Short mmCIF file of all heavy atoms in Angstrom, two decimals:
data_model
loop_
_atom_site.label_atom_id
_atom_site.label_comp_id
_atom_site.label_asym_id
_atom_site.label_seq_id
_atom_site.Cartn_x
_atom_site.Cartn_y
_atom_site.Cartn_z
N ARG A 230 0.35 24.08 9.08
CA ARG A 230 -0.50 23.57 8.01
C ARG A 230 0.30 23.00 6.87
O ARG A 230 0.04 21.91 6.41
CB ARG A 230 -1.47 24.67 7.58
CG ARG A 230 -2.34 24.26 6.42
CD ARG A 230 -3.35 25.28 5.97
NE ARG A 230 -3.84 25.04 4.62
CZ ARG A 230 -4.75 24.23 4.29
NH1 ARG A 230 -5.32 23.43 5.21
NH2 ARG A 230 -5.13 24.14 3.05
N VAL A 233 1.86 19.75 7.73
CA VAL A 233 0.91 18.61 7.63
C VAL A 233 0.75 18.19 6.12
O VAL A 233 0.78 17.06 5.85
CB VAL A 233 -0.38 18.95 8.28
CG1 VAL A 233 -1.45 17.96 7.99
CG2 VAL A 233 -0.22 19.24 9.76
N LEU A 234 0.51 19.18 5.32
CA LEU A 234 0.26 18.89 3.91
C LEU A 234 1.49 18.12 3.27
O LEU A 234 1.44 17.19 2.53
CB LEU A 234 -0.07 20.09 3.05
CG LEU A 234 -1.39 20.82 3.49
CD1 LEU A 234 -1.57 22.06 2.61
CD2 LEU A 234 -2.57 19.92 3.26
N GLN A 237 1.45 14.42 4.59
CA GLN A 237 0.27 13.62 4.29
C GLN A 237 -0.08 13.47 2.84
O GLN A 237 -0.79 12.58 2.43
CB GLN A 237 -0.91 14.08 5.08
CG GLN A 237 -0.66 13.95 6.65
CD GLN A 237 -1.82 14.34 7.52
OE1 GLN A 237 -2.91 14.68 6.95
NE2 GLN A 237 -1.55 14.26 8.80
N LEU A 238 0.30 14.45 2.02
CA LEU A 238 0.09 14.39 0.54
C LEU A 238 1.19 13.59 -0.12
O LEU A 238 2.35 13.54 0.35
CB LEU A 238 -0.09 15.71 -0.07
CG LEU A 238 -1.47 16.42 -0.02
CD1 LEU A 238 -1.97 16.55 1.42
CD2 LEU A 238 -1.43 17.79 -0.69
N LEU A 257 -4.12 13.63 -1.56
CA LEU A 257 -4.32 13.09 -0.20
C LEU A 257 -5.16 11.78 -0.28
O LEU A 257 -6.22 11.76 -0.94
CB LEU A 257 -5.14 14.13 0.61
CG LEU A 257 -5.59 13.62 2.03
CD1 LEU A 257 -4.39 13.44 2.92
CD2 LEU A 257 -6.60 14.57 2.64
N ALA A 258 -4.67 10.77 0.33
CA ALA A 258 -5.49 9.53 0.56
C ALA A 258 -6.11 9.70 1.89
O ALA A 258 -5.52 9.37 2.95
CB ALA A 258 -4.60 8.28 0.50
N ASP A 259 -7.33 10.24 1.92
CA ASP A 259 -7.99 10.61 3.15
C ASP A 259 -8.49 9.45 3.95
O ASP A 259 -9.43 8.85 3.49
CB ASP A 259 -9.08 11.63 2.76
CG ASP A 259 -9.77 12.13 4.01
OD1 ASP A 259 -9.34 12.00 5.09
OD2 ASP A 259 -10.85 12.89 3.86
N PRO A 260 -7.98 9.17 5.10
CA PRO A 260 -8.56 8.03 5.86
C PRO A 260 -9.87 8.29 6.44
O PRO A 260 -10.65 7.35 6.73
CB PRO A 260 -7.53 7.93 7.07
CG PRO A 260 -6.87 9.31 7.14
CD PRO A 260 -6.84 9.82 5.75
N TYR A 261 -10.31 9.59 6.54
CA TYR A 261 -11.62 9.82 7.00
C TYR A 261 -12.69 9.53 6.01
O TYR A 261 -13.79 8.95 6.33
CB TYR A 261 -11.83 11.33 7.32
CG TYR A 261 -11.22 11.79 8.67
CD1 TYR A 261 -10.46 10.94 9.48
CD2 TYR A 261 -11.34 13.15 9.00
CE1 TYR A 261 -9.89 11.42 10.74
CE2 TYR A 261 -10.79 13.60 10.24
CZ TYR A 261 -10.07 12.76 11.06
OH TYR A 261 -9.54 13.22 12.29
N ILE A 266 -8.05 12.85 -2.77
CA ILE A 266 -8.45 14.23 -3.03
C ILE A 266 -7.26 14.96 -3.57
O ILE A 266 -6.16 15.03 -3.00
CB ILE A 266 -8.84 14.88 -1.68
CG1 ILE A 266 -9.94 13.97 -0.93
CG2 ILE A 266 -9.34 16.32 -1.93
CD1 ILE A 266 -10.33 14.55 0.44
N MET A 276 -9.40 21.91 1.72
CA MET A 276 -8.75 20.87 2.40
C MET A 276 -8.31 21.43 3.73
O MET A 276 -7.04 21.76 3.86
CB MET A 276 -7.54 20.29 1.61
CG MET A 276 -6.87 19.11 2.28
SD MET A 276 -5.52 18.38 1.25
CE MET A 276 -6.50 17.62 -0.03
N PRO A 277 -9.16 21.52 4.72
CA PRO A 277 -8.62 21.96 6.04
C PRO A 277 -7.89 20.79 6.77
O PRO A 277 -7.84 19.78 6.31
CB PRO A 277 -9.97 22.25 6.74
CG PRO A 277 -10.93 21.38 6.10
CD PRO A 277 -10.56 21.25 4.70
N VAL A 278 -7.31 21.29 7.83
CA VAL A 278 -6.63 20.25 8.73
C VAL A 278 -7.38 20.15 10.02
O VAL A 278 -7.63 21.09 10.68
CB VAL A 278 -5.12 20.77 8.98
CG1 VAL A 278 -4.45 19.80 9.89
CG2 VAL A 278 -4.36 20.80 7.59
N ASP A 279 -7.70 18.93 10.37
CA ASP A 279 -8.52 18.64 11.54
C ASP A 279 -7.59 18.32 12.75
O ASP A 279 -6.64 17.73 12.58
CB ASP A 279 -9.39 17.34 11.26
CG ASP A 279 -10.10 17.00 12.47
OD1 ASP A 279 -10.91 17.81 13.09
OD2 ASP A 279 -10.06 15.83 12.82
N LEU A 311 -3.12 15.90 14.04
CA LEU A 311 -3.54 16.70 12.89
C LEU A 311 -3.74 15.75 11.67
O LEU A 311 -2.93 14.91 11.38
CB LEU A 311 -2.60 17.73 12.54
CG LEU A 311 -2.37 18.79 13.67
CD1 LEU A 311 -1.24 19.78 13.27
CD2 LEU A 311 -3.62 19.61 14.00
N GLN A 312 -4.86 15.98 10.96
CA GLN A 312 -5.18 15.14 9.84
C GLN A 312 -5.85 16.07 8.79
O GLN A 312 -6.89 16.62 9.02
CB GLN A 312 -6.10 14.03 10.25
CG GLN A 312 -6.57 13.22 8.96
CD GLN A 312 -5.47 12.51 8.33
OE1 GLN A 312 -4.58 11.92 8.91
NE2 GLN A 312 -5.38 12.70 6.99
N ALA A 313 -5.32 16.11 7.62
CA ALA A 313 -5.93 16.75 6.43
C ALA A 313 -7.13 15.97 5.98
O ALA A 313 -7.08 14.66 6.02
CB ALA A 313 -4.96 16.98 5.28
N THR A 314 -8.20 16.63 5.62
CA THR A 314 -9.42 16.02 5.16
C THR A 314 -10.13 16.97 4.25
O THR A 314 -9.64 18.07 3.86
CB THR A 314 -10.29 15.47 6.29
OG1 THR A 314 -11.36 14.74 5.80
CG2 THR A 314 -10.88 16.67 7.11
N ASP A 315 -11.34 16.65 3.85
CA ASP A 315 -12.13 17.63 3.03
C ASP A 315 -12.97 18.49 3.94
O ASP A 315 -13.18 18.24 5.13
CB ASP A 315 -12.99 16.87 1.97
CG ASP A 315 -14.14 16.07 2.56
OD1 ASP A 315 -14.50 16.24 3.67
OD2 ASP A 315 -14.61 15.18 1.83
N TYR A 340 -8.13 3.76 12.23
CA TYR A 340 -7.09 4.76 12.17
C TYR A 340 -7.50 5.89 13.04
O TYR A 340 -6.61 6.30 13.87
CB TYR A 340 -7.02 5.30 10.72
CG TYR A 340 -6.03 6.42 10.49
CD1 TYR A 340 -4.72 6.18 10.15
CD2 TYR A 340 -6.43 7.75 10.61
CE1 TYR A 340 -3.85 7.23 9.92
CE2 TYR A 340 -5.59 8.78 10.47
CZ TYR A 340 -4.30 8.57 10.08
OH TYR A 340 -3.47 9.60 9.86
#
Side-chain angles (χ1 to χ4, degrees):
R230 174 177 162 80
V233 170
L234 296 177
Q237 297 183 1
L238 273 58
L257 173 70
D259 182 8
Y261 282 4
I266 305 171
M276 189 177 287
V278 174
D279 175 52
L311 298 174
Q312 177 60 53
T314 186
D315 68 20
Y340 178 90

